[in-house]
Structure formats: C-alpha cells, structure tokens
Amino acid sequence: MTSKCVISLDLPEDVVAPLRDQFDLLTWSGKEAMPEVTLQDWLADAEGLLCSLSTPITASVIADARQLKVISTMSVGVDHIDLAAATAACIPVGHTPGVLVDSTADLAVGLMIAANRRIAEADRWMRTGQWSQGWQSDLLLGSDLSRATVGIVGLGPIGEATIRRLRGFGATLVGWNRTPKALKGVEMVDLEDLFCRCDIVSLHTALTPETFQIASRQRLASMRSGASLINTGRGDLVDEEALIEELSSGRLRAGLDVFKTEPLPADHPLLSLDNAVLLPHVGSATFSTRMAMVTRALENLRAGMSGEPLSFCANPEVYGLSV
Ligand code: DGY
C-alpha cells in the first residue's frame, strides 16, 4: 500500500507532481488556511505532512495523527508547530533555514528605508492627488540610514546578513544576541540599552517563550522620539497594542512584515496609521527563495517518509542529538 502524505498548503501542481509517483497525496487547494478539523481528519492515517506557517500544528493534531512519521514545514520558523509534542511523539520536524536569509535581510533594510524616507506614505500622497506645488524644501522629510544607529535584536543568519547590508550604508551598528557573540564593527549591548539608544531597532530572533514580546511596552516607551521599529520576524515579538499607541501618538515609526494576527483584519488600527509601512508577511517572497524553500521542504519530507534523518531538523533531539 502507498504511504499517505498530506500537503496542507496550496502548491503549484508541477511542484507536487513528482511526489504523486511515490505517495498517495491529499493536497489542500484553498487559499485560506486549512481548518483544524479537516487537517485532523486527513492526518488520521497519514505518514507525512508538508505544511506552512498558516496551519497551526497543535498538540491535539499531533496526538491524533497516530501514523505520522514526519512534519515538514516550508518555513524556517517553527512556532506554528507544537515542537515539544512532536518531539514527545518522536516525529522529526523539518524546516528551511539558510535559503531565505538574503531575501529577508533585503526586506528588513527595505522597510528601514521605506519607514525612514516615508516611501509608502509619499506614494499614497501622490496617488491621492496631493502633489500640486512641485519641489518643496520641506516636503515629506525623513532621516538617513548613514546617520542612524541601528540596533539588531538577534544575530542569527538573518540578523548578520542585515548587518552586512547596513555596513554598506554607513550606519552605526549595535547588537544583542541571546548567547554572547562578537561581530566586527557591532557594539554588543543589553536589550535595554539597545532600545533606548537606537534610531532603528530591527527584530531578527525566532519566536520562543523567551522572546515573546521582546519589544515590550516598556522597551518601546524607552525608544527615542522619531525612532522606528522594524519587524520581519514574528508579530508576537512585539507588544502590538503598545506599538499602536506609540505610532498613534506620532512618537515612533514602524516597518512591519509580520503581525500578531495574520491576515491583518480589515478594521485593524495599524491600517489607518501613515507612519507604519505594512507588508503582508513577504520576507521570503522571491521566486528563487520560495523555490529553494519548497525544494528543501520536499527533501525533508522524503527523508522522513523513508525513515532517514532530515537534513534540516528543528528537533534533532528525536535522533538523540542536542539542539
Ligand atoms: C519563515 O520561513 O519562517 C518565514 O516567516 C516565511 O518565509
């Protein structure tokens, strides 16, 4: 009998076609996230799951999936998966680190420039017919990256790639990492210092219980007036309510690719704030990066289905290795 695999995200047929010869596939083709009940039903006798961050893989989903041998997510982040439950059930979780580093770092710098040079705001302003006077000496003034002190929270591959780019802009660099790290030209400081000293704070840590709301109300309040917060990590790294208050008062600016609730509800207060540049979680959204992510996710899925160790495993403890 052919083993069954569930694909809980909508992927192009030419990407999934090669799997059809090997596995009995159940593929979700809705653009909206797959409902948990459907997922549970489909996983009842499945051995493999290919998913993305729009489908939470909860402890109860894992508990009911008695035959499951591998979970492979098309993302580097695994905060949508109950990793402890997967590990307890001896299910390896594959993810896609490395391949989205450059795309995400590019977008983080793009958001820094967009927020500080008011690019999206200026575009909206023009399109609403407000440009009636030609060049004006004080029109839509912003601030320079070359004069900014930029604080990078989390010096993993994406944080480091962001730093490499910022060196080229001549920014002054300050960093914080959970485990001590030395990087040329980056002053390492504690989080309190970083938030209160920087003109731009950019978040690059994984979301874990320790980093939940690392940009807390108190740290946001300590930021300089006119400073900006950039988030290409996860929405829950920020106390979003506190950020909205800071943006509404005009004290801070922001460039956000990720939110507490995704998709952002149509009546969300952030949507009415001109000093926030908002993107729909597209940090890794380039053709080549998404192709590299799906290729890596499929490799992980195939390895797990054949009982081989996954090349990119988020819970190597299942193989008796330490994280
Ligand atoms: C990830 O991979 O975790 C990103 O958020 C989506 O590309």
Side-chain angles (χ1 to χ4, degrees):
M1 216 175 72
T2 327
S3 313
K4 187 167 141 187
C5 268
V6 170
I7 302 187
S8 70
L9 67 158
D10 187 24
L11 288 171
E13 180 52 30
D14 58 328
V15 169
V16 291
L19 292 177
R20 293 196 189 281
D21 302 335
Q22 292 170 275
F23 310 118
D24 179 8
L25 289 190
L26 270 179
T27 56
W28 178 250
S29 54
K31 284 287 172 205
E32 74 287 5
M34 189 176 185
E36 182 163 310
V37 277
T38 315
L39 182 65
Q40 276 172 314
D41 183 39
W42 286 17
L43 282 178
D45 56 351
E47 291 179 23
L49 169 63
L50 179 63
C51 62
S52 71
L53 38 97
S54 48
T55 320
I57 311 298
T58 60
S60 76
V61 166
I62 292 169
D64 288 350
R66 299 282 165 86
Q67 324 255 343
L68 201 59
K69 294 201 316 203
V70 58
I71 299 171
S72 173
T73 180
M74 186 181 157
S75 61
V76 62
V78 290
D79 48 285
H80 56 296
I81 300 171
D82 192 320
L83 212 55
T87 306
C90 291
I91 301 171
V93 174
H95 66 147
T96 65
V99 291
L100 45 79
V101 167
D102 287 324
S103 304
T104 310
D106 284 352
L107 200 84
V109 175
L111 279 173
M112 289 176 200
I113 299 174
N116 284 283
R117 294 300 305 274
R118 305 170 65 180
I119 291 177
E121 186 186 345
D123 180 89
R124 278 192 297 275
W125 187 83
M126 259 186 87
R127 286 172 201 272
T128 46
Q130 299 187 62
W131 194 21
S132 56
Q133 279 187 45
W135 188 87
Q136 295 161 57
S137 62
D138 59 351
L139 180 61
L140 289 159
L141 301 183
S143 49
D144 296 304
L145 218 41
S146 59
R147 292 191 171 84
T149 298
V150 184
I152 303 293
V153 177
L155 299 172
I158 299 174
E160 283 203 37
T162 306
I163 284 174
R164 283 198 294 281
R165 284 155 175 74
L166 291 170
R167 284 196 186 111
F169 284 90
T172 302
L173 296 165
V174 160
W176 173 87
N177 199 48
R178 188 171 52 90
T179 52
K181 198 162 187 175
L183 286 178
K184 197 167 150 250
V186 182
E187 185 187 352
M188 299 303 289
V189 294
D190 66 28
L191 274 174
E192 269 51 50
D193 239 27
L194 186 145
F195 274 83
C196 71
R197 270 177 55 183
C198 290
D199 303 297
I200 301 173
V201 174
S202 190
L203 306 177
H204 298 279
T205 67
L207 175 65
T208 64
E210 293 73 40
T211 60
F212 177 78
Q213 295 192 356
I214 196 165
S216 61
R217 174 174 290 277
Q218 204 183 354
R219 290 185 179 133
L220 292 171
S222 77
M223 286 174 76
R224 293 178 175 183
S225 180
S228 48
L229 181 85
I230 307 300
N231 191 6
T232 51
R234 286 291 183 270
D236 275 329
L237 293 173
V238 181
D239 182 333
E240 206 172 77
E241 235 180 74
L243 178 63
I244 291 167
E245 288 172 28
E246 294 286 0
L247 292 169
S248 305
S249 74
R251 222 182 62 77
L252 298 183
R253 311 187 68 79
L256 307 171
D257 184 42
V258 287
F259 306 89
K260 187 173 158 181
T261 305
E262 296 181 6
L264 204 60
D267 59 350
H268 198 282
L270 278 170
L271 291 166
S272 61
L273 293 168
D274 242 356
N275 49 356
V277 180
L278 310 176
L279 299 177
H281 204 148
V282 289
S284 64
T286 69
F287 289 106
S288 56
T289 293
R290 287 285 163 85
M291 190 45 80
M293 288 167 74
V294 79
T295 303
R296 189 154 281 186
L298 292 174
E299 279 164 17
N300 281 332
L301 181 73
R302 283 203 184 89
M305 291 297 284
S306 50
E308 290 160 22
L310 314 190
S311 305
F312 300 94
C313 186
N315 56 345
E317 311 92 286
V318 291
Y319 303 121
L321 301 170
S322 57
V323 223

